[in-house]
PDB file of all heavy atoms in Angstrom:
ATOM      1  N   GLU A 308      20.533  -0.668 -21.086  1.00  0.00           N
ATOM      2  CA  GLU A 308      19.889  -0.282 -19.837  1.00  0.00           C
ATOM      3  C   GLU A 308      18.353  -0.378 -19.961  1.00  0.00           C
ATOM      4  O   GLU A 308      17.701  -0.707 -18.964  1.00  0.00           O
ATOM      5  CB  GLU A 308      20.319   1.125 -19.446  1.00  0.00           C
ATOM      6  CG  GLU A 308      21.774   1.130 -18.970  1.00  0.00           C
ATOM      7  CD  GLU A 308      22.270   2.530 -18.684  1.00  0.00           C
ATOM      8  OE1 GLU A 308      21.488   3.500 -18.836  1.00  0.00           O
ATOM      9  OE2 GLU A 308      23.392   2.659 -18.172  1.00  0.00           O
ATOM     10  N   ALA A 309      17.811  -0.112 -21.134  1.00  0.00           N
ATOM     11  CA  ALA A 309      16.345  -0.258 -21.316  1.00  0.00           C
ATOM     12  C   ALA A 309      15.922  -1.677 -21.035  1.00  0.00           C
ATOM     13  O   ALA A 309      14.883  -1.937 -20.395  1.00  0.00           O
ATOM     14  CB  ALA A 309      15.966   0.166 -22.716  1.00  0.00           C
ATOM     15  N   GLU A 310      16.754  -2.646 -21.460  1.00  0.00           N
ATOM     16  CA  GLU A 310      16.435  -4.088 -21.173  1.00  0.00           C
ATOM     17  C   GLU A 310      16.676  -4.406 -19.713  1.00  0.00           C
ATOM     18  O   GLU A 310      15.909  -5.193 -19.108  1.00  0.00           O
ATOM     19  CB  GLU A 310      17.279  -4.985 -22.063  1.00  0.00           C
ATOM     20  CG  GLU A 310      16.818  -5.028 -23.482  1.00  0.00           C
ATOM     21  CD  GLU A 310      15.338  -5.394 -23.672  1.00  0.00           C
ATOM     22  OE1 GLU A 310      14.947  -6.437 -23.104  1.00  0.00           O
ATOM     23  OE2 GLU A 310      14.645  -4.640 -24.320  1.00  0.00           O
ATOM     24  N   LEU A 311      17.742  -3.845 -19.137  1.00  0.00           N
ATOM     25  CA  LEU A 311      18.045  -4.081 -17.739  1.00  0.00           C
ATOM     26  C   LEU A 311      16.913  -3.598 -16.846  1.00  0.00           C
ATOM     27  O   LEU A 311      16.601  -4.173 -15.805  1.00  0.00           O
ATOM     28  CB  LEU A 311      19.365  -3.359 -17.418  1.00  0.00           C
ATOM     29  CG  LEU A 311      20.196  -3.803 -16.224  1.00  0.00           C
ATOM     30  CD1 LEU A 311      20.692  -5.240 -16.396  1.00  0.00           C
ATOM     31  CD2 LEU A 311      21.391  -2.843 -16.059  1.00  0.00           C
ATOM     32  N   LEU A 312      16.304  -2.485 -17.248  1.00  0.00           N
ATOM     33  CA  LEU A 312      15.264  -1.886 -16.453  1.00  0.00           C
ATOM     34  C   LEU A 312      14.028  -2.759 -16.357  1.00  0.00           C
ATOM     35  O   LEU A 312      13.280  -2.629 -15.404  1.00  0.00           O
ATOM     36  CB  LEU A 312      14.879  -0.517 -17.030  1.00  0.00           C
ATOM     37  CG  LEU A 312      15.665   0.694 -16.562  1.00  0.00           C
ATOM     38  CD1 LEU A 312      15.235   1.926 -17.335  1.00  0.00           C
ATOM     39  CD2 LEU A 312      15.486   0.895 -15.032  1.00  0.00           C
ATOM     40  N   LYS A 313      13.807  -3.588 -17.345  1.00  0.00           N
ATOM     41  CA  LYS A 313      12.576  -4.372 -17.324  1.00  0.00           C
ATOM     42  C   LYS A 313      12.441  -5.240 -16.121  1.00  0.00           C
ATOM     43  O   LYS A 313      11.510  -5.132 -15.331  1.00  0.00           O
ATOM     44  CB  LYS A 313      12.417  -5.156 -18.656  1.00  0.00           C
ATOM     45  CG  LYS A 313      12.117  -4.245 -19.839  1.00  0.00           C
ATOM     46  CD  LYS A 313      12.057  -5.015 -21.131  1.00  0.00           C
ATOM     47  CE  LYS A 313      11.857  -4.042 -22.315  1.00  0.00           C
ATOM     48  NZ  LYS A 313      11.953  -4.755 -23.623  1.00  0.00           N
ATOM     49  N   PRO A 314      13.397  -6.195 -15.900  1.00  0.00           N
ATOM     50  CA  PRO A 314      13.321  -7.032 -14.680  1.00  0.00           C
ATOM     51  C   PRO A 314      13.527  -6.200 -13.385  1.00  0.00           C
ATOM     52  O   PRO A 314      12.933  -6.500 -12.347  1.00  0.00           O
ATOM     53  CB  PRO A 314      14.458  -8.068 -14.848  1.00  0.00           C
ATOM     54  CG  PRO A 314      15.380  -7.483 -15.880  1.00  0.00           C
ATOM     55  CD  PRO A 314      14.544  -6.596 -16.773  1.00  0.00           C
ATOM     56  N   LEU A 315      14.318  -5.141 -13.523  1.00  0.00           N
ATOM     57  CA  LEU A 315      14.597  -4.348 -12.346  1.00  0.00           C
ATOM     58  C   LEU A 315      13.327  -3.590 -11.873  1.00  0.00           C
ATOM     59  O   LEU A 315      12.979  -3.676 -10.696  1.00  0.00           O
ATOM     60  CB  LEU A 315      15.747  -3.342 -12.636  1.00  0.00           C
ATOM     61  CG  LEU A 315      16.336  -2.578 -11.490  1.00  0.00           C
ATOM     62  CD1 LEU A 315      16.766  -3.473 -10.337  1.00  0.00           C
ATOM     63  CD2 LEU A 315      17.552  -1.755 -11.976  1.00  0.00           C
ATOM     64  N   GLU A 316      12.672  -2.951 -12.779  1.00  0.00           N
ATOM     65  CA  GLU A 316      11.423  -2.230 -12.396  1.00  0.00           C
ATOM     66  C   GLU A 316      10.353  -3.214 -11.979  1.00  0.00           C
ATOM     67  O   GLU A 316       9.590  -2.954 -11.067  1.00  0.00           O
ATOM     68  CB  GLU A 316      10.930  -1.380 -13.560  1.00  0.00           C
ATOM     69  CG  GLU A 316      11.886  -0.248 -13.962  1.00  0.00           C
ATOM     70  CD  GLU A 316      11.845   0.983 -13.023  1.00  0.00           C
ATOM     71  OE1 GLU A 316      11.404   0.788 -11.881  1.00  0.00           O
ATOM     72  OE2 GLU A 316      12.289   2.062 -13.472  1.00  0.00           O
ATOM     73  N   ALA A 317      10.344  -4.389 -12.621  1.00  0.00           N
ATOM     74  CA  ALA A 317       9.311  -5.392 -12.263  1.00  0.00           C
ATOM     75  C   ALA A 317       9.461  -5.839 -10.814  1.00  0.00           C
ATOM     76  O   ALA A 317       8.518  -6.220 -10.159  1.00  0.00           O
ATOM     77  CB  ALA A 317       9.375  -6.569 -13.223  1.00  0.00           C
ATOM     78  N   ALA A 318      10.740  -5.801 -10.301  1.00  0.00           N
ATOM     79  CA  ALA A 318      11.040  -6.206  -8.947  1.00  0.00           C
ATOM     80  C   ALA A 318      10.678  -5.097  -7.918  1.00  0.00           C
ATOM     81  O   ALA A 318      10.693  -5.342  -6.740  1.00  0.00           O
ATOM     82  CB  ALA A 318      12.458  -6.647  -8.817  1.00  0.00           C
ATOM     83  N   ALA A 319      10.406  -3.908  -8.420  1.00  0.00           N
ATOM     84  CA  ALA A 319       9.995  -2.743  -7.591  1.00  0.00           C
ATOM     85  C   ALA A 319      10.942  -2.566  -6.403  1.00  0.00           C
ATOM     86  O   ALA A 319      10.455  -2.554  -5.236  1.00  0.00           O
ATOM     87  CB  ALA A 319       8.549  -2.926  -7.138  1.00  0.00           C
ATOM     88  N   PRO A 320      12.266  -2.392  -6.627  1.00  0.00           N
ATOM     89  CA  PRO A 320      13.156  -2.248  -5.504  1.00  0.00           C
ATOM     90  C   PRO A 320      13.063  -0.872  -4.831  1.00  0.00           C
ATOM     91  O   PRO A 320      12.867   0.135  -5.548  1.00  0.00           O
ATOM     92  CB  PRO A 320      14.525  -2.435  -6.156  1.00  0.00           C
ATOM     93  CG  PRO A 320      14.355  -1.960  -7.532  1.00  0.00           C
ATOM     94  CD  PRO A 320      12.961  -2.324  -7.926  1.00  0.00           C
ATOM     95  N   ASP A 321      13.195  -0.854  -3.531  1.00  0.00           N
ATOM     96  CA  ASP A 321      13.364   0.439  -2.817  1.00  0.00           C
ATOM     97  C   ASP A 321      14.834   0.827  -2.852  1.00  0.00           C
ATOM     98  O   ASP A 321      15.140   2.042  -2.781  1.00  0.00           O
ATOM     99  CB  ASP A 321      12.954   0.251  -1.338  1.00  0.00           C
ATOM    100  CG  ASP A 321      11.503  -0.159  -1.241  1.00  0.00           C
ATOM    101  OD1 ASP A 321      10.647   0.639  -1.660  1.00  0.00           O
ATOM    102  OD2 ASP A 321      11.240  -1.285  -0.758  1.00  0.00           O
TER     103      ASP A 321
END
Side-chain angles (χ1 to χ4, degrees):
E308 289 177 356
E310 286 305 307
L311 203 61
L312 272 176
K313 289 177 184 173
L315 190 53
E316 296 283 21
D321 300 296

